[in-house]
Every structure is written in C-alpha cells, then in structure tokens.
Amino acid sequence: MTADDSFGRLDDDDYPAYTMGRAAEMLGTTPGFLRAIGEARLITPLRSKGGHRRYSRYQLRIAARA
C-alpha cells in the first residue's frame, strides 16, 4: 500500500479511521456511550490488531443520531 492509497481511504465512509477517544471527542460524548451502543448492536466497531475499537464516519453518523 502506498501513501496515496492510505490517503484515499480517508474519503471512504466505511474506513475505520477513528479511535474510541477521538470518536467520543468528535461526538461530544463519552467512550462509555460508544461502548454501550456497541453492546446494544446499534453499531459494530472494527478492531485494530491490538484489539482497540475503531470507528468509521458512517458509524459516527449513526452514533450521533442515537
């Protein structure tokens, strides 16, 4: 994967670009809220290789509506 490919993914609404902390900050909520809506299966965040939750712009739009 080249640097150009990586930047192109940022335009993809389904690319899990945001960490839980950053996603919560962007939404003005807490990480606990994001965990709760994940447990309720409203959204299903992807996991990094280290097991951390990662969110896409599409998932953040759904979370914002919740």
Side-chain angles (χ1 to χ4, degrees), residues 2-66:
T2 66
D4 288 336
D5 293 338
S6 295
F7 289 124
R9 286 182 147 183
L10 295 176
D11 289 332
D12 182 356
D13 274 353
D14 294 319
Y15 181 67
Y18 304 100
T19 62
M20 177 181 277
R22 180 67 180 131
E25 181 181 309
M26 291 170 65
L27 295 173
T29 189
T30 65
F33 172 76
L34 291 174
R35 278 191 294 276
I37 63 173
E39 289 171 8
R41 299 180 191 253
L42 183 61
I43 60 174
T44 304
L46 294 174
R47 299 281 181 150
S48 68
K49 290 181 182 179
H52 300 280
R53 291 172 180 89
R54 303 284 296 195
Y55 298 90
S56 68
R57 288 190 308 201
Y58 176 74
Q59 290 171 325
L60 295 182
R61 283 196 301 273
I62 292 169
R65 295 177 90 189

